[in-house]
Amino acid sequence: MATPDFIRELRASAGHQLLWLPGVTVVVLDDEGRVLLNRRSDNRRWSLIGGIPEPGEQPAACAVREVLEETAVRCVVERVLSVQALNPVTYENGDVCQYMDITFRCRAVGGEARVNDDESLEVAWFAVDALPDLGEFGRARIKQALTDAPTWFDPTGTD
């Protein structure tokens, strides 16, 4: 994921210490019920689309923007799937971040899925019964997107 300019500015004074940041994850479904994924250029793994809102940007607007920027697919937000504080992440350069993730279910409304920036190696639609290796994070969010269950959150404050 490309580092937004405002975070580069924060890092200039904060160094590598923990930054608490908002983040969005997006489960994009098409009319055939397929899920849009990208294979990330930083870790070469298949992933749901996601990113960091710019200062003042609404999370839902960020979700739509990130999908378009990364995949050239236009989408509309249908609902919030989950809200969760994720575990801290330490990047190769030593930067530490912890994200408050808001996951959205979106419906594709146009565009042709393709690599649209340098954050992705591949972009593709997958049937939910033929997903590549996503790990539990992605699979749990896709499962939630396919139900009408209420927004998920951890009521206990523990993982």
Side-chain angles (χ1 to χ4, degrees), residues 11-110:
R11 285 286 179 211
S13 60
H16 296 300
Q17 70 179 312
L18 175 75
L19 291 182
W20 175 247
L21 298 169
V24 300
T25 301
V26 191
V27 179
V28 183
L29 300 170
D30 69 3
D31 290 337
E32 297 173 37
R34 298 178 302 172
V35 178
L36 182 64
L37 302 175
N38 70 336
R39 194 161 66 85
R40 297 170 51 120
S41 58
D42 60 352
N43 64 15
R44 308 185 70 79
R45 297 194 59 173
W46 285 100
S47 177
L48 293 169
I49 311 305
I52 300 170
E54 295 291 330
E57 183 179 33
Q58 295 296 326
C62 175
V64 170
R65 175 182 56 79
E66 289 287 347
V67 171
L68 184 61
E69 285 179 359
E70 295 181 21
T71 71
V73 171
R74 292 187 319 279
C75 67
V76 294
V77 173
E78 294 184 325
R79 69 186 188 99
V80 174
L81 295 175
S82 66
V83 178
Q84 182 181 22
L86 303 180
N87 292 326
V89 176
T90 302
Y91 293 97
E92 285 185 17
N93 67 357
D95 289 351
V96 182
C97 295
Q98 187 170 11
Y99 298 96
M100 173 60 71
D101 179 68
I102 302 171
T103 300
F104 294 93
R105 181 178 75 188
C106 291
R107 174 77 42 204
V109 294

